[in-house]
Amino acid sequence: MPQRNDREELAEAVMALIDQGHRRISRHLDLTRVRVLGTVAAQGPIRPSAIAAGLGLTASATSRHLTALERAGQVTVEPDSHDSRTFLVRQTERGTAEVDTTIQAGSAVFAEVIADWSDEDVATARDLITRLNEAWEQRGESAAPAAAPGAGPRWRRTRLSIADKENPT
């Protein structure tokens, strides 16, 4: 049975992988916008509220991303025949091409990163990451720990640190 340190090291390795991937990809893409477009591709036509709920976004953030995608010609909006207060979002051919291009580019970069891995290592990693994703999905939001003091984005930690200095207890 693995020791506690092994689990902590695995968690740190996964977080480092996520961080590296996010930093490298976000230089070239708006990852949230890609997720919105992917959601429309998989579930469209879809209401903005369903996109927001599925991705954990606010209504205003979802609206901003949909506006940008519509301006780029990657989605269209149409009236919702069941609810006149909202609309449905549908992916366009340009949006489909964007999703395909993004997936292909990501796959190509990832293939370069693991080019020296054996077929067995690739299969093992795939199986374990798939298992990890399934376990994460089963746990859902309950798997997210409460924020520890001093945790969170740097801007928030800095602001809290300043507030602590100004108002010592």
Side-chain angles (χ1 to χ4, degrees):
M1 185 164 179
Q3 296 293 318
R4 175 79 176 133
N5 289 342
D6 290 344
R7 285 184 168 83
E8 288 173 4
E9 289 175 16
L10 174 61
E12 289 174 12
V14 169
M15 294 302 137
L17 174 65
I18 292 167
D19 184 54
Q20 282 187 37
H22 188 268
R23 280 187 286 125
R24 292 170 193 240
I25 291 169
S26 65
R27 290 181 192 147
H28 308 286
L29 299 169
D30 182 325
L31 293 175
T32 303
R33 194 156 297 149
V34 169
R35 291 176 61 218
V36 169
L37 186 57
T39 300
V40 174
Q43 300 177 24
I46 185 171
R47 291 180 177 153
S49 59
I51 297 168
L55 297 179
L57 299 174
T58 63
S60 62
T62 304
S63 178
R64 281 192 310 274
H65 289 294
L66 289 174
T67 298
L69 290 168
E70 186 177 22
R71 285 184 183 147
Q74 296 172 345
V75 299
T76 60
V77 297
E78 58 192 51
D80 184 338
S81 61
H82 300 290
D83 186 349
S84 62
R85 297 169 296 169
T86 189
F87 56 90
L88 297 173
V89 182
R90 183 182 303 274
Q91 188 176 30
T92 65
E93 287 183 28
R94 182 179 279 173
T96 301
E98 180 66 22
V99 169
D100 292 345
T101 299
T102 301
I103 291 170
Q104 290 169 0
S107 295
V109 169
F110 198 81
E112 287 177 29
V113 170
I114 62 170
D116 62 341
W117 288 26
S118 70
D119 290 344
E120 183 178 310
D121 286 347
V122 170
T124 299
R126 181 203 59 227
D127 292 346
L128 290 173
I129 292 169
T130 298
R131 184 174 164 196
L132 179 61
N133 283 329
E134 289 168 353
W136 199 268
E137 182 143 342
Q138 286 176 348
R139 293 287 306 265
E141 291 298 319
S142 67
R154 187 176 334 181
W155 63 266
R156 184 178 296 146
R157 290 192 314 261
T158 302
R159 188 169 26 152
L160 290 174
S161 174
I162 291 168
D164 289 345
K165 290 176 186 173
E166 291 175 353
N167 302 312
T169 50

